[in-house]
Amino acid sequence: MDYAIQDPRPDYSATTSYTADWADLLRQAAPMTFWRGPLHAITDVFTAAGFRLAVISEPQPDPAARELYPDDFHSLSTRMCFPFFVLKVPPATGSAE
């Protein structure tokens, strides 16, 4: 299900989840749960838990995928993808010793 092209388009500010069955390497159904929410809701959870955001990225497919998946490469390289977050634990400000 492509979230960005649904009609009507879901409320961006709502936090929702859905589960879809994906086939694993053995072609067995594996339930995958996805969460959707606005960027600020996602980052707020990280910072409230004490993490510091180091990087937010939306990686592009490897250029070699153009030859391996010629029918899908354009879609993979031009649509929204999964964001990746690099989180760091801030250094402790005091010592318990």
Side-chain angles (χ1 to χ4, degrees), residues 18-86:
Y18 73 96
T19 301
D21 285 333
W22 281 17
D24 67 11
L25 295 176
L26 300 174
R27 304 266 187 240
Q28 297 174 335
M32 296 287 293
T33 300
F34 299 90
W35 288 89
R36 296 188 189 116
L39 186 58
H40 74 85
I42 297 167
T43 59
D44 288 352
V45 170
F46 295 148
T47 56
F51 293 103
R52 183 175 55 80
L53 287 164
V55 176
I56 301 174
S57 67
E58 294 179 286
Q60 291 293 302
D62 187 297
R66 183 182 308 275
E67 290 182 30
L68 295 170
Y69 308 99
D71 296 338
D72 300 316
F73 186 80
H74 178 73
S75 176
L76 291 170
S77 60
T78 58
R79 289 190 175 180
M80 292 189 306
C81 66
F82 292 101
F84 289 85
F85 300 89
V86 176

